[in-house]
């Protein structure tokens, strides 16, 4: 039973009591019932509006998902490749120009992997112990 139906039922009960709307009690109950009826209609309108907003939001979300697929590609497809397709010795690189370097931390012995840009910066902190690893790109005097 909806709120409007409950208010209508209550109105019927009050009318069945035969109260005179010109007396104090009858006036008060009549005004209260009118307010309840207005509130029940307002609540129904709000529920309808919320339903419409939800449907609109779903449509916008679907459209945005389509735009993201067009702009960024379907990321799910990229993750669907099978490790079994790789043969021994095959390398998997996200970027063909990516060059990685490795250095061993003299303090903890951890092998640290980093990109060329870190070499240009001159150093990196060991992710294991925090030791600062410095790199000298100067030419060798022995050559």
């Amino acid at each position: 039973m909806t709120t409007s139906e409950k208010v209508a039922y209550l109105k019927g009960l009050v009318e069945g009591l035969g109260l005179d709307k010109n007396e104090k009690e009858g006036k008060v109950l009549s005004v209260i019932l009118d307010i309840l009826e207005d509130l029940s209609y307002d609540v129904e309108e709000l529920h309808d509006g919320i339903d419409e907003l939800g449907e609109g939001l779903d449509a916008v979300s679907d459209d945005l998902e389509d735009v993201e697929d067009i702009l960024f590609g379907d990321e799910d497809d990229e993750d669907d490749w099978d490790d079994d397709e790789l043969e021994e010795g095959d390398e998997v690189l996200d970027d063909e120009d990516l060059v990685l370097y490795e250095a061993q931390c003299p303090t903890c012995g951890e092998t640290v992997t980093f990109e060329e840009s870190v070499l240009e910066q001159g150093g990196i902190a060991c992710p294991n112990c925090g030791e600062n690893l410095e790199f000298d790109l100067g030419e060798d005097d022995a050559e």
Side-chain angles (χ1 to χ4, degrees):
M1 186 180 268
T2 66
T3 307
S4 298
E5 293 170 338
K6 290 177 183 178
V7 171
Y9 175 74
L10 182 61
K11 238 180 174 180
L13 288 176
V14 170
E15 287 176 9
L17 292 175
L19 295 176
D20 185 8
K21 292 185 179 181
N22 294 328
E23 292 185 19
K24 294 178 188 178
E25 293 86 8
K27 285 181 184 179
V28 170
L29 282 175
S30 177
V31 171
I32 289 173
L33 288 174
D34 288 341
I35 291 171
L36 283 174
E37 187 174 37
D38 290 343
L39 286 174
S40 69
Y41 290 134
D42 290 344
V43 168
E44 284 182 15
E45 286 180 21
L46 287 173
H47 280 286
D48 292 342
I50 288 171
D51 290 342
E52 286 180 33
L53 283 173
E55 291 170 6
L57 184 59
D58 288 343
V60 169
S61 178
D62 292 343
D63 291 344
L64 180 59
E65 189 175 309
D66 292 342
V67 170
E68 286 174 343
D69 286 345
I70 291 169
L71 290 176
F72 304 113
D74 192 6
E75 292 180 9
D76 293 338
D77 291 344
E78 293 175 11
D79 295 334
D80 289 343
W81 63 277
D82 190 4
D83 289 336
D84 296 334
E85 295 174 8
L86 295 176
E87 295 179 13
E88 190 173 323
D90 285 348
E91 286 187 54
V92 178
L93 296 175
D94 292 334
D95 187 349
E96 291 178 19
D97 298 329
L98 181 65
V99 177
L100 296 177
Y101 295 91
E102 290 183 348
Q104 188 169 10
C105 177
T107 304
C108 68
E110 177 79 17
T111 300
V112 180
T113 305
F114 51 90
E115 296 179 18
E116 188 172 12
S117 62
V118 174
L119 281 178
E120 294 168 1
Q121 293 173 2
I124 187 173
C126 174
N128 190 40
C129 70
E131 176 75 22
N132 189 27
L133 305 176
E134 295 181 5
F135 308 109
D136 183 12
L137 296 180
E139 293 184 29
D140 240 355
D141 292 333
E143 289 184 72

